[in-house]
């Protein structure tokens, strides 16, 4: 086999900032060049091999070898190649130990770690410039003996002849065979430019200062066979193929085993799952199980058994059961979560009877996709669940999946700009223009605006490099909550490394890699609303004794839907944003499934696909509901012929465009990643032509494709929406029937949601709930409920609202208070051990009113308190009474905002009303009485500014005055014209036109005025969303 | 900007004192921080003229007419500190992040704040103000104080003086807030509050000061926010508080400041002096053309320079001599040396070398010696001479002195050191370096190992004739010994290369370094000769 070659030493860009080609590119090029094999040997990493593995199948590479490069502490470099499954496991284990022993992102390879000799691995010793193995490194030869080669890497540095001769001598001396290899860093020579750039970034230097840390040439690419034949003696090339032939391992051999401790003795997973399900059924339907449910469960169990997914359901069940035992609220979602089995197991609280869903919609035999269950837990207690998993399975068997952080336009620009010597300011100017990056180029005018010449050589280099760099992996981070749990130690499957958080470890693969290899993961996520709901339940129980759970909140309460239809949803889950609030009165949800749609429809996908208005029209009967075909009707009937959910789009691809279920599944994956990796191109053509062939209108096809694009990273499936809708309903029910408890729980769970504490408190006040201020003798740390004279719930603000007071100090105040409370400020110091600063913030919050009078007096009093001196324990000092002014109402309001972010006094705008009247500003309350399309002036505090990516540059501003909120729409051109006002104003005046549509009121702005100066010292932070 | 107080040693902290005595304590004068200039405690009527330059960071940084904002890093974010009129009109306001400012005005010129430039601008102003008063004081990074009681008569009264100063400031491009008061702090606070007040007696002073808001006091943030939280917003409010309670809460320092501002306590200040350069003349009774005599005079001048620099612990890198003639313009002679020095003998040695070449068109009537910018001199530790070797022996070998003497003889532009550059491209791998600029940096930081480079590199590669693709040298075919060494690099400037280098030998046995471009493999170039 003369002249054949296998590359045994190649780094992909998963050797971060060294390798300059994607694994896929390396594999494709090696296959095209006719290599016998290609080894991906990223430095102490397996992160890129799954991609290489699937690319090898796609491009028909003869053999993919899996290995890793290591630098020993002594500076020696070796490359280890896995010969078989066992060798792969020992390699993974070595990577795990060396990475776990070092800080995140680095590794330490000591001689001891190699003492086991890496069984079933072949090893290349890569000599350095001396071409000799020092005496002290002879242990390398001893350790690997018959599995060691000297790698001869001739890279045109002018000393090739010398190198070859010296290594041949060394080989004879040490009795080691020689083999050719290429130290490959890129798939093609042109990437040397990017490789140089990466090197400079890695060293944190500019390119023209990088000097000799750069490689002198671009020889480290996959060289054509004829070039290699010119460079290497034939026997060295032949040796590569001999090594490749000795290797017999593919990632397909990996098999994943579920943990087996989930099943008790004497049971099989199948029997145990059935047992648990039947128990659950009896619990769920104590009065007798409906025949329909029994059938459904039987059907699902058969399907699960067929696919052998029982252990997966049992794994999730175990985690959920733990959470329940700890009173941690949780809710499953995802394709398998809304099954009757999951309902019986308690993984979800969504009664399958409440919505007609077939489990095949979620688990399908043909699609061969693993079941997907994400479980949301209370965000503040998720850590307990994670620690439980670690404790139960051990760190060897449970780990979080990684997320590969890749270069985005802005980060790429920042790094490239720096290495080309641009100043920080120039870079930050340019990075603003990256908003206009369309994947290829930035509009020249934007570069000009940043004060740079788009045609200058530097800018051309910059843009070239940025374009090349985008999508390159930069580092591994931890996935939000994707756990992999295995029966055998994970390091035999994939290396584990340290995450940035202490006590966290991640595996070197990300979610897609796991899916590719069919490994199962469970997403353990945190959700703030669950915390708020659990707290509401607790508060209600403690206040009135009524016990609620997610399942036992009365279903389908018309009062709740009335509230939702009125758009009165501030603070509830999901449907509280402005866009949602505006949609609710039009969509008029009246049942649970309407909420499922409501959750999914106000998302980039349906908005971009222009699905919202057709759905609205059809729902209101303004447009006939029709279907292009019966097949489509089957898919779209439940949403009136308008595709809203991700699943529907997938199904449409199958029934209308002729995709196989497998293709539809890869479309789904491409959809989730296209923004990051690019590449929906092939699917567009196939989808549109497929639909055209089957007689669908071009317009319909294009619409579906636009929606697919819109789903992008925000793809929202029905299976998730269904679970979310339950939380929407429960939170709405709480807001409707227990507003005090609900708001109290929300305040205690901040920060979360769209609205600030101030807005939540005003909202609950408008709903007739009394709110009491922070009080040193009555407040708990958390906000709490008190009863008024009639026994009605009153919301008492907690010490947590006081800015600058630590929880520890707050808790001490509460525990040391005793039954009599505090009578003097001095006691706070003596009993609760507060320091001067903490006393100060308490005084400024007004919490000391009962002890020391108004804020000014309280502040004077506490600032004079001192720790009693041991020698003079009770020195009663005479103090002259200061002449302090009483705070004015304005001062009180300002101080309230500064200290607690809200006021229980009059609204600040109320105080300014007289001034505002001069400009003829109307209040929020007056607006409904004014006719549509009338000219109008309004003013208020700016509380949110939102510029959604889907709204073509429109900014939505929410103003607040003493009577409520005013929604203002600022068109793009006006926003440009009044940039300063829009950006800076905290009190904004708007002249414009009123737009009333049913209960939805908008002011279309024509002119903006900044009245911030009227506010004086009042600081109100607007919440800005993009 | 809040400023940290120099923590005063107050008696309260020093030791536990009986309560009765404590009551009286705040009224005691703590040890003054600065030694008072005026020793006499008797009331001398002084008048302080304060110039507050709120826009100094901008005025010192401004480079163009375009809308400009000065930015400063605060907690890792570049934030706008000051803006000019144009930027303000576009909505750029202090406190915005640089990015937000750019969002408002993409053409905005952003300048980073430079305390050094501000200091220089302030010193330049102080220098100019010395025209108006013998007592100028840089009181803060943006505040200048003049004591003007003594200057009033000279400048024709207060209004006249004030007009002169304010016009001058405007001409210098500064936007200032001016105030006049009998105490320096009073004047400063008035200026900071933007009151164009002119107060000559202390009774009025108290009345006016009472109305000033707290933020013009520049007290630490903590104290100000505490006071505000008590509803205390003006100096008058402060003065209404019980003194003892005030001092207990905020320390003695603010109270002392109040007393100083009101004139109850003395407030000594340091006077500012412009930095000096040496300049001395030697005038002769009659014209002189004897070169040895002239050199002697120069020597005397150098000795007095040495004395001048020695007493100030300074040195200088450059000197200039001017030889004046009765007719015609003076002959100039400049000297430079690699390190700041003050030793007369060394300067004389350099002067001798240059003086030999100096052509004096006429006899000399006077000589002037001026020093360049002076700088603090790093004293060298003297060697202890244990072995009795002649010190001069080592001196002779000093490369620095050799270089200085060469420069003195053949000129700065002709003497260089070589410096290696870490760079793959051979023609960029070294560069000449001026000797006078910075002697220390010319050390070799990184030596490339295992690399063959010819000792003699041609300034430009020379095209070699070729015979059917093989290079010829002086008509003879070349034999390639080693290679290729492939160099593909330098894409980041306009001089990227992509070449294969070879070592070749000609029939005469001379080894050559040749290359061909990868894009044009038939053309061979000669780049150097190995030794």
């Amino acid at each position: 086999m003369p002249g054949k070659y296998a590359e045994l030493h190649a780094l992909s860009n998963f050797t971060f900032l060294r390798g300059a080609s994607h694994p896929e590119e390396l594999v494709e090029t090696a296959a095209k060049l006719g290599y016998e094999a290609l080894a991906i040997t990223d430095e102490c990493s397996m992160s890129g091999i799954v991609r290489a593995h699937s690319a090898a199948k796609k491009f028909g590479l003869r053999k993919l070898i899996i290995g890793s490069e290591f630098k020993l502490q002594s500076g020696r470099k070796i490359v280890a190649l896995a010969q078989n499954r066992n060798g792969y496991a020992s390699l993974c284990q070595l990577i795990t130990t060396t990475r776990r022993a070092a800080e995140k992102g680095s590794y330490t390879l000591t001689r001891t770690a190699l003492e086991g000799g890496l069984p079933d691995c072949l090893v290349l010793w890569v000599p350095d410039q001396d071409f000799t193995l020092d005496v002290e490194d002879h242990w390398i030869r001893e350790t690997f003996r018959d599995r060691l080669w000297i790698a001869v890497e001739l890279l045109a540095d002018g000393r090739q002849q010398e190198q070859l001769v010296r290594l041949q001598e060394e080989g004879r001396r040490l009795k080691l065979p020689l083999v050719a290899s290429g130290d490959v860093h890129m798939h093609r020579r042109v990437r040397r430019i990017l490789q140089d750039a990466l090197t400079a970034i890695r060293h944190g230097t500019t390119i023209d200062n990088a000097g000799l840390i750069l490689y002198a040439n671009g020889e480290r690419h996959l060289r054509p066979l004829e070039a290699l034949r010119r460079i290497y003696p034939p026997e060295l090339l032949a040796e590569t193929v001999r090594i490749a032939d000795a290797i017999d391992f593919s990632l397909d051999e990996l098999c994943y085993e579920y943990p087996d401790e989930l099943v008790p003795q004497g049971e099989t997973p199948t029997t145990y799952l059935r047992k648990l399900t039947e128990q659950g059924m009896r619990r769920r339907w104590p009065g007798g199980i409906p025949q329909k449910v029994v059938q459904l469960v039987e059907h699902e169990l058969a399907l699960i058994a067929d696919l052998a997914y029982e252990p997966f359901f049992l794994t999730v069940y175990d985690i959920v059961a733990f959470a329940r035992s700890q009173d941690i609220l949780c809710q499953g979602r995802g394709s398998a979560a809304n099954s009757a089995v999951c309902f019986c197991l308690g993984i979800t609280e969504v009664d399958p009877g409440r919505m007609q869903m077939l489990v095949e919609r979620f688990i399908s035999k043909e699609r061969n996709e693993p079941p997907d269950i994400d479980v949301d837990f209370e965000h503040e207690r998720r850590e307990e669940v994670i620690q439980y998993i670690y404790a139960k399975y051990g760190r060897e068997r449970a780990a979080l999946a990684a997320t590969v952080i890749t270069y985005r336009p802005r980060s790429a620009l920042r790094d490239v700009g720096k290495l080309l010597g641009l100043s920080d300011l120039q870079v930050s100017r340019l990075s603003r223009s990256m908003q206009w990056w369309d994947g290829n180029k930035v509009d020249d005018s934007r570069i000009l605006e940043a004060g740079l010449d788009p045609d200058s050589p530097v800018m051309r280099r910059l843009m070239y490099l940025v374009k090349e760099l985008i999508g390159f992996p930069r580092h591994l981070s931890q996935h939000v909550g994707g756990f992999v749990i295995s029966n055998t130690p994970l390091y035999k499957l994939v290396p584990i490394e340290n995450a940035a958080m202490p006590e966290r470890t991640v595996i070197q693969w990300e979610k897609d890699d796991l899916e590719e290899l069919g490994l199962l993961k469970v997403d353990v996520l945190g959700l703030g609303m669950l915390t708020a709901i659990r707290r509401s339940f607790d508060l209600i129980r403690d206040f009135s004794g009524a016990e609620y759970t997610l399942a036992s909140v009365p279903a389908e309460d018309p009062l709740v839907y009335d509230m939702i239809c009125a758009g009165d949803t501030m603070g509830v889950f999901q449907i509280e944003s402005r866009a949602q609030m505006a949609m609710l009165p039009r969509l008029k949800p009246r049942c649970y499934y309407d909420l499922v749609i409501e959750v999914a429809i106000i998302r980039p996908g349906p908005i971009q696909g222009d699905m919202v208005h057709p759905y609205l029209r059809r729902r209101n009967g303004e447009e006939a509901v029709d279907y292009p075909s019966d097949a489509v009707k089957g898919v779209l009937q439940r949403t009136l012929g308008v595709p809203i959910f991700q699943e529907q789009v997938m199904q449409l691809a199958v029934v209308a465009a002729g995709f196989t279920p497998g293709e539809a599944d890869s479309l789904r994956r491409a959809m989730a990643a296209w923004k990051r990796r690019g590449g929906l191109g092939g699917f567009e053509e196939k989808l549109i032509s497929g639909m055209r062939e089957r007689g669908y209108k071009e317009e319909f096809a294009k619409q579906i494709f636009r929606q697919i694009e819109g789903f992008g990273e925000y793809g929202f499936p029905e299976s998730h929406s269904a679970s979310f809708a339950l939380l929407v309903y429960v939170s709405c029910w709480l807001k409707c029937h227990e507003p005090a408890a609900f708001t109290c729980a929300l305040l205690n769970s901040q920060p979360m949601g769209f609205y600030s504490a101030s807005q939540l408190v005003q909202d609950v006040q408008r709903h007739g709930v009394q709110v009491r201020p922070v009080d040193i003798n009555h407040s708990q740390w958390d906000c709490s409920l008190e009863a008024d004279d009639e026994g009605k719930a009153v919301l008492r603000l907690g010490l947590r609202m006081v800015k600058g007071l630590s929880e520890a100090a707050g808790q001490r105040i509460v525990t040391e208070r005793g039954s009599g409370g505090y009578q003097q400020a001095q006691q706070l110091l003596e009993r609760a051990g507060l320091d001067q600063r903490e006393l100060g913030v308490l005084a400024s919050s007004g919490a000391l009113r009962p002890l020391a009078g108004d804020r000014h007096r309280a502040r004077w009093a506490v600032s004079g308190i001192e720790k009693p001196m041991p020698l003079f324990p009770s020195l009663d000092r005479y103090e002259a009474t200061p002449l302090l002014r009483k705070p004015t109402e304005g001062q009180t309001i300002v101080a309230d905002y500064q200290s607690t972010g809200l006021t229980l006094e009059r609204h600040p705008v109320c105080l300014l009303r007289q001034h505002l009247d001069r400009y003829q500003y109307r209040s929020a309350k007056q607006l409904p009485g004014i006719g549509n399309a009338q000219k109008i002036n309004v003013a208020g505090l700016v509380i949110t500014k939102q510029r959604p990516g889907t709204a073509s540059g429109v900014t939505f501003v929410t103003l607040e005055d003493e009577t409520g909120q005013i929604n203002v729409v600022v068109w793009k051109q006006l926003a440009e014209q009044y940039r300063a006002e829009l950006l800076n104003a905290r009190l904004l005046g708007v002249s414009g036109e009123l737009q009333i549509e049913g209960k939805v009121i908008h002011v279309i702005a024509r002119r903006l005025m900044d009245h911030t100066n009227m506010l004086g010292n009042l600081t109100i932070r607007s919440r800005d969303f993009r | 900007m809040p400023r940290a107080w120099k923590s005063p040693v107050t008696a309260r902290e020093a030791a536990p004192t009986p309560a009765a005595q404590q009551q009286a304590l705040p009224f005691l004068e703590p040890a003054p921080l600065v030694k008072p200039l005026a020793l006499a405690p008797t009331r001398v009527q002084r008048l302080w003229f304060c110039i507050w330059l709120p826009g100094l960071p901008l005025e010192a940084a401004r480079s163009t007419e375009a809308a400009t904002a000065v930015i400063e890093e605060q907690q890792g974010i570049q934030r706008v500190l000051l803006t000019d009129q144009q930027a303000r009109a576009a909505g750029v306001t202090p406190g915005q992040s640089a990015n937000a400012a750019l969002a408002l005005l993409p053409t905005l010129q952003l300048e980073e704040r430079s305390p050094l430039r501000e200091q220089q601008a302030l010193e330049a102003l102080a220098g100019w103000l010395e025209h108006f008063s013998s007592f100028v004081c840089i009181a803060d990074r943006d505040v200048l104080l003049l004591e003007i009681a003594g200057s009033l008569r000279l400048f024709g009264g207060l209004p006249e003086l004030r007009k002169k100063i304010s016009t001058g400031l405007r001409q210098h491009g500064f936007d200032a807030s001016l105030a006049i008061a009998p105490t320096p702090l009073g004047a400063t606070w008035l200026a900071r509050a933007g009151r164009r007040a002119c107060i000559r007696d202390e009774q009025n002073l108290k009345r006016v000061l009472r109305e000033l808001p707290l933020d013009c006091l520049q007290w630490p943030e903590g104290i100000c926010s505490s006071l505000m939280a008590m509803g205390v917003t003006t100096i008058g409010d402060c003065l209404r508080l019980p003194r003892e309670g005030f001092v207990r809460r905020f320390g003695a320092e603010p109270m002392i400041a109040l007393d100083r501002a009101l004139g109850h306590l003395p407030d000594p200040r340091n006077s500012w002096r412009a930095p000096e350069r040496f300049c001395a003349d030697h005038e002769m009774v009659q014209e002189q053309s004897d070169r040895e005599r002239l050199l002697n005079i120069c020597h005397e001048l150098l000795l007095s320079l040495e004395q001048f620099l020695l007493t100030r612990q300074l040195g200088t890198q450059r000197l200039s001599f001017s030889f004046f003639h009765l007719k015609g313009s003076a002959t100039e002679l400049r000297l430079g040396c690699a390190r700041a020095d003050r030793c007369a003998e060394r300067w004389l040695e350099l002067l001798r070398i240059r003086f030999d070449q100096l052509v004096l068109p006429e006899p000399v009537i006077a000589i002037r010696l001026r020093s360049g910018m002076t700088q603090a001199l790093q004293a060298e530790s003297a060697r202890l001479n244990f072995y009795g070797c002649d010190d001069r022996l080592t001196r002779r070998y000093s490369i620095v002195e050799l270089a200085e003497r060469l420069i003195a003889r053949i000129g700065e532009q002709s003497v260089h050191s070589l410096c290696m550059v870490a760079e793959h491209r051979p023609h960029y791998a070294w560069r000449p370096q001026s000797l006078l600029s910075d002697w220390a940096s010319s050390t070799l930081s990184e030596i490339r190992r295992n690399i063959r480079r010819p000792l003699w590199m041609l300034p430009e590669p020379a095209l070699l004739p070729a015979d059917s693709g093989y290079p010829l040298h002086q008509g003879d075919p070349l034999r390639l010994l080693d290679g290729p060494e492939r160099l593909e690099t330098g894409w980041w400037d306009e001089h990227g290369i992509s070449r294969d280098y070879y070592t070749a030998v000609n029939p005469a046995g001379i080894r050559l370094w040749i290359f061909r471009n990868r894009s044009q493999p038939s053309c061979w170039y000669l780049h150097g000769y190995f030794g």
Side-chain angles (χ1 to χ4, degrees), chain A residues 261-303:
Chain A
E261 62 260 67
L262 294 168
V263 181
Q265 283 273 307
E267 299 261 13
T268 67
T270 317
T271 58
Y272 188 53
L273 181 66
R274 172 170 290 275
K275 198 167 142 187
L276 290 172
T277 309
E278 282 167 356
Q279 278 173 9
M281 258 199 292
R282 283 192 292 278
R283 188 170 50 85
R284 292 285 193 195
W285 289 277
I289 306 151
Q291 193 51 36
K292 212 180 104 195
V293 172
V294 177
Q295 274 173 5
L296 187 61
V297 167
E298 281 307 318
H299 177 77
E300 288 180 7
L301 283 177
L303 191 68

Side-chain angles (χ1 to χ4, degrees), chain B residues 93 162 222 333 397 431:
Chain B
T93 47
R162 185 183 170 129
L333 187 153
Y397 288 101
R431 65 158 180 260

Side-chain angles (χ1 to χ4, degrees), chain A residues 452-557:
Chain A
L452 294 159
D453 175 8
D455 290 323
S456 70
V458 174
M459 285 310 295
R460 273 189 278 118
R461 278 176 217 126
L462 180 92
M463 285 304 142
Y464 171 80
L465 282 171
V466 166
K467 193 179 151 198
E468 294 273 291
L469 192 57
I470 288 172
F472 260 52
R474 241 175 123 190
H475 60 266
L476 288 189
S477 172
Q478 72 180 53
H479 186 260
V480 283
F483 258 96
V484 189
I485 304 168
S486 144
N487 199 29
T488 47
L490 269 172
Y491 57 72
K492 297 199 167 168
L493 211 56
V494 53
I496 303 173
E497 60 176 74
N498 292 334
M501 278 169 78
E503 292 304 296
R504 280 285 163 85
T505 46
V506 297
I507 61 169
Q508 287 189 330
W509 290 341
E510 65 172 347
K511 214 173 130 195
D512 294 359
D513 299 332
L514 296 171
E515 250 176 52
E516 179 72 36
L517 295 178
L519 304 191
L520 288 180
K521 62 147 188 42
V522 184
D523 275 354
V524 178
L525 305 169
L527 194 61
M529 185 47 74
L530 281 169
T531 313
I533 291 176
R534 203 255 310 149
R535 285 189 167 142
S536 302
F537 289 163
D538 290 353
L539 284 163
I540 295 167
R541 187 191 57 224
D542 294 346
F543 188 77
S544 67
E547 290 264 8
Y548 289 105
T549 64
L550 284 182
S552 73
V553 165
E556 306 298 70
D557 182 342

Side-chain angles (χ1 to χ4, degrees), chain A residues 129-130 155-162 189 192-194 196-197 207-219 419-420 424-425 428-429 431-432 449-450 457 461 465 844 855-856 859-861 863-866 869 871-872 875 877-885 891 979-980 983-984 1017, chain B residues 12 16 19 22-23 71 78 90-93 96 98-100 102-112 222 225-226 228-234 237 240-242 244-246 248-250 422-424 446 448-450 452 481-494 497-498 518:
Chain A
Q129 288 178 326
D130 297 332
L155 298 166
D157 62 354
R159 302 171 75 211
Q160 300 90 307
Q161 283 93 329
E162 183 194 346
R189 188 189 290 277
R192 72 182 165 84
I193 291 175
L194 186 61
D196 285 346
I207 191 78
D208 48 359
N209 278 330
L212 302 181
I213 60 173
L214 305 179
Y215 290 126
N217 59 40
E219 285 297 283
L419 84 93
L420 289 178
D424 284 355
L425 267 178
S428 67
R429 276 177 179 225
S431 80
R432 298 175 34 72
E449 203 174 70
R461 278 176 217 126
L465 282 171
S844 300
R855 278 192 172 84
H856 291 171
R859 187 70 192 236
W860 173 264
S863 64
I865 295 175
E866 286 164 357
M869 280 184 279
L871 283 180
F872 305 91
L875 181 74
R877 198 192 309 276
Y878 163 77
E879 268 225 309
T881 317
L883 297 164
L884 293 170
R885 291 194 192 89
Q891 281 174 327
R979 273 211 267 210
L983 203 71
N984 294 337
N1017 290 326
Chain B
R12 253 177 45 67
Q22 273 190 355
Q23 287 215 354
I71 52 171
Q78 301 272 16
V92 179
T93 47
Q96 270 170 348
N99 273 332
L102 286 172
L104 285 169
L105 190 62
T107 55
L108 182 67
Q109 203 64 36
L110 291 179
E111 297 282 353
E112 284 199 48
S225 60
S226 271
M228 301 288 260
M230 294 169 189
V232 174
T233 52
T234 62
D237 291 344
R240 257 204 307 279
L241 295 174
E244 187 217 3
F246 185 92
R248 240 162 63 97
R249 284 163 177 83
F250 307 111
E423 165 70 62
H424 285 295
E446 200 179 352
R448 196 167 164 207
R449 291 195 306 159
N450 302 320
R452 262 176 235 140
L481 283 183
D482 203 358
E485 179 182 352
R486 184 162 292 169
L487 293 177
E488 297 169 290
T489 187
W491 51 267
W492 51 88
D493 54 30
E494 304 307 306
I497 58 167
S498 174
R518 283 177 40 80

Side-chain angles (χ1 to χ4, degrees), chain B residues 261-318:
Chain B
L262 294 169
H264 299 162
L265 285 178
D267 186 2
R269 301 286 175 144
N270 277 333
S271 162
W272 178 84
R273 290 263 170 266
E276 296 151 300
R277 286 185 188 197
F278 180 80
C279 182
D281 295 339
H282 184 103
E283 283 175 52
M284 283 159 264
V285 191
Q286 63 184 81
E287 286 180 280
Q288 187 63 261
S289 52
D290 177 2
R291 296 181 80 92
E292 205 46 45
R293 289 282 294 275
L294 288 175
L295 214 50
N296 277 341
I297 294 168
C298 289
H299 188 192
E300 274 167 36
L301 284 168
L302 283 170
L303 283 172
S304 57
L305 166 79
E306 186 182 276
Q307 196 53 41
F308 173 88
L309 292 173
L310 194 67
T311 51
R312 288 163 181 78
Q313 285 298 302
L314 297 171
T316 184
Q317 265 188 302
R318 308 218 176 233

